[in-house]
Structure formats: C-alpha cells, structure tokens
Amino acid sequence: MEQTIPSFTLHDGIEIPAIGFGTASIKGAAGARVIASALNHGYRLIDTAYNYENEGAVGAAIRQSGIPRNQVFVTSKLPGRYHDYAEAIQALQESLFRANLDYFDLYLIHWPNPKQGKYLEAWQALIDAQKWGLVRSIGVSNFLPEHLEHLQKETGVLPTVNQIELHPFFNQKQQCKWHEEHHIITESWSPLYRAKDIIENESLQQIADKYKKSVGQIILRWHYQLGAVSIPRSTSSIRQLNNISIFDFALDYEDMEKINSLSKADGRIGGQDPSEYEEF
Ligand SMILES: NC(=O)c1ccc[n+]([C@@H]2O[C@H](COP(=O)([O-])OP(=O)(O)OC[C@H]3O[C@@H](n4cnc5c(N)ncnc54)[C@H](OP(=O)(O)O)[C@@H]3O)[C@@H](O)[C@H]2O)c1
C-alpha cells in the first residue's frame, strides 16, 4: 500500500516531505528501478548529488514511475570542486541536464570546505540560480553555525535546509538547536547509521519490541519527532516500505530521551568533522 507522508514548511514557504529516499551508490538502470520502487511505495523526496553520479538514474526513475514531476521533491548538491561562481552555475546546469529535469526543488552546497574558503561565492551562485528558476529552494550540507553566520552576514540569506550527519549515535543537539532558532530545517544524512551496529542495539531493540515496530522504524520516527527530515536509503523494497511506515505511532518522551542518551561526542561514522574534512 502506498504511504502518505506529512511535510514540513521551509522558511521560504516551500513544503518538504518529512522523509525522503537517499540514493548514494544507487546507480544505472538497476538503480533507476530501485528508486522507482521507492516512489511507488510513496516516497516523494529523492536525495541525489553531482558526486553520486546518479542524477540520470533519478530522472529516469521519476519518468518510469509516471508520477507528475511537480509531485516529486528532488534535491541535488554542488561538489566542492565547483565553488567558483561560474563553475557552480555550470555544474548545476550539468546536473539538470543529466537528470533531464528543468529544475531542482532543493539544491545544496555539499560541503563547506572552509580551508578552500569559497563557499560564500558558491552561495551567491545558488541565490542567483534560484532567481532564474533553476532551483525552487536553496540550502547547504555539513555547514557549522560559524559558516551559516558567515552566509547570513554577507548575503542576508540563510539556507532553508542544512543536511548533516545525524543518527542516534550522534544527535547534533546544539547544531539542531541553532537551526531551530534560525528557522532552518535539519535534514539527517545516514539516518540509520548505515545500519552498522545499530539494528542490533539492545536499547533500540527494547523500544522496538514495546511499540511492535522494527528498529529502523523507531530510529526514523525519532528523527521525525526531532523535527528533522531523514533520507534513509534501501535497495530492498520491503525495507523501503517499512522505513516510511512510521506515521501511525508516536514515541513517548521517555523513549525519545533514551534514544538521545545513545549519542556520543565521537559518534560520527567516519570522523568527518566539517571544520576540517573536505570533499571535492
Ligand atoms: N550530505 C552528505 O554529505 C551526505 C553524506 C552521506 C549520505 N548522504 C545522503 O544520505 C542518504 C542516507 O545515508 P546512507 O546511504 O549513508 O545510509 P543510511 O540510509 O543510514 O543506511 C543505509 C543502509 O541501511 C540499510 N537499511 C536501510 N533500511 C534498513 C532497515 N529498515 N533495517 C536494516 N537495515 C536497513 C541499507 O541496506 P539495504 O539497501 O540492504 O536495505 C543500507 O546498507 C544517502 O543515500 C545520501 O543520499 C548525504
């Protein structure tokens, strides 16, 4: 059965589905079938990036699904090597060409790469691209509050979304509070900790037993109740459906806190601290 997904409203008034589909490493004709399966289950947000080299598969999946373009929310991301203004515009145009789409619903700067120091120039390109109708909403990924403050100070425009690493082992409490205070929607990448060591976690399993849900559903419901958009990836049709079937129950305060207590200061999957880590 197709699931209906609620949405959050971005500070520019655009609606974003509360849960979406992650596509890293899902590629080619087989990948397009996986993404079309997610759309058929009810996913209406698809997360891709120039660097995933699968924007073509995303566009093909949307056409295969038969769902009208304006009912699907497509996000893509600008790679670190194209932060120069002209190169950013060209990369965005290339992404749209690969996807065979006229516009993206959301376009993000993938990483701030602060040592390179050009994310402000990239942000100016995104502001203009939005004015020209190439993207409906503009945001960032992996930006720290100091980077966000810099954007605001120099351009007066704050991103609508910041997509960051967020899962029960790294709950980003302070960063999320900053987002909330500035009306930025938090989007959680690797929301399931890539299923490493988490599905067997005893505390999460106990909560799952209590609500008669899977551990994946408990984690994704926790993201939703935090007010974060999560983008779980799955190549399995069964898990795709399971992961969005989270709107018929609610975690109580105590269980939300139990999940929060699993967070560790060094809980990042790969130690990718945006103040130092760079990706091109
Ligand atoms: N902005 C950034 O810098 C950034 C960085 C990383 C990721 N992302 C985005 O975030 C998306 C999601 O993150 P991710 O792909 O790293 O990892 P993830 O969604 O946390 O986990 C995906 C893994 O979990 C498994 N899985 C999915 N549902 C499950 C369930 N219910 N029970 C057990 N296992 C389950 C999948 O295996 P099966 O396929 O076998 O189900 C897959 O191996 C990416 O695809 C990408 O779009 C963005």
Side-chain angles (χ1 to χ4, degrees), residues 182-241:
H182 294 81
H183 312 291
I184 294 171
I185 291 283
T186 302
E187 196 172 23
S188 311
W189 65 253
S190 297
L192 297 169
Y193 196 67
R194 293 189 187 146
K196 293 191 295 178
D197 310 327
I198 209 165
I199 303 299
E200 300 78 24
N201 180 277
E202 212 173 298
S203 309
L204 291 171
Q205 191 58 62
Q206 279 171 8
I207 298 172
D209 292 345
K210 174 176 161 185
Y211 291 90
K212 297 190 172 48
K213 297 288 173 186
S214 70
V215 168
Q217 287 172 316
I218 295 299
I219 298 171
L220 295 166
R221 179 73 201 187
W222 170 79
H223 285 277
Y224 175 61
Q225 288 185 215
L226 289 179
V229 173
S230 63
I231 42 171
R233 162 177 61 99
S234 179
T235 51
S236 145
S237 172
I238 292 170
R239 285 189 286 281
Q240 286 175 358
L241 181 57

Side-chain angles (χ1 to χ4, degrees), residues 9 41 43 53 83 103 132 134 140 181 183 208 243 245 274-275:
T9 305
H41 282 311
Y43 287 84
E53 298 177 326
H83 282 190
Y103 65 91
W132 303 330
L134 299 176
V140 294
E181 285 165 3
H183 312 291
N243 288 345
S245 305
S275 62

